[in-house]
Amino acid sequence: MRLTKSTDLALRTIMRLAVTGAEPCTARQVAGEMQVPYSHLAKVAARLQHLGLIETRRGRGGGLTLTATGRTASVGQLVRELEGVGDVADCEGDVPCPLRQGCRLRMALRRAQEAFLTSLDPLTVDDLVASPTGPVLLGLVGRAPGLSP
């Protein structure tokens, strides 16, 4: 299974916010640190806010902060929410697969996908930012894109 770019960025954004605690940071700052377009990060942030994982505040002293729900969320559940439901293989696409009525591969792929997500269920965002990841993320904070620490 391969995660979409949006899910990947959402997870990295949540991890980034987790290492700085209650200190807000701007979407532009996070976009720069993650080396992604601001417009993409803004869409991801809106989705994370809708899911109750981050809070956003405008104006002076505003920015993005991780909620308590976001900090303790199951990574498996986050991926399910962000990726949505769907099969690994698109058997019903524009040109439906002729094997779809009796295909054992489709069920095997569904089981594998669920096993993948189930293996992520016990992990929380706090687990993801434990050492050595947390210090690496802190090294990104405030660093201009393209510069070495």
Side-chain angles (χ1 to χ4, degrees):
M1 180 175 169
R2 185 177 181 98
L3 300 179
T4 63
K5 288 182 181 182
S6 291
T7 297
D8 176 50
L9 180 56
L11 292 171
R12 289 188 290 138
T13 299
I14 289 172
M15 291 168 62
R16 164 56 180 88
L17 296 176
V19 296
T20 52
E23 183 182 319
C25 57
T26 68
R28 287 199 189 282
Q29 180 183 356
V30 175
E33 292 166 1
M34 296 294 161
Q35 300 180 6
V36 297
Y38 167 75
S39 59
H40 192 177
L41 187 102
K43 289 176 188 175
V44 165
R47 173 74 198 236
L48 293 173
Q49 180 186 20
H50 177 74
L51 294 172
L53 303 170
I54 68 170
E55 291 179 350
T56 60
R57 280 181 277 143
R58 291 183 182 263
R60 184 174 207 139
L64 310 174
T65 54
L66 189 62
T67 64
T69 300
R71 183 170 294 285
T72 59
S74 158
V75 175
Q77 190 56 41
L78 288 175
V79 172
R80 284 180 186 91
E81 289 283 338
L82 295 165
E83 289 288 314
V85 284
D87 289 328
V88 174
D90 187 11
C91 302
E92 304 292 337
D94 293 338
V95 180
C97 176
L99 302 176
R100 71 187 180 284
Q101 298 304 324
C103 183
R104 295 180 70 174
L105 177 61
R106 186 177 194 179
M107 288 307 297
L109 290 173
R110 280 187 186 153
R111 285 191 304 274
Q113 180 179 18
E114 189 51 38
F116 169 76
L117 295 169
T118 299
S119 73
L120 296 175
D121 283 339
L123 295 172
T124 66
V125 173
D126 277 342
D127 294 330
L128 294 180
V129 297
S131 189
T133 307
V136 171
L137 284 165
L138 284 172
L140 296 176
V141 175
R143 188 172 58 142
L147 297 178
S148 300

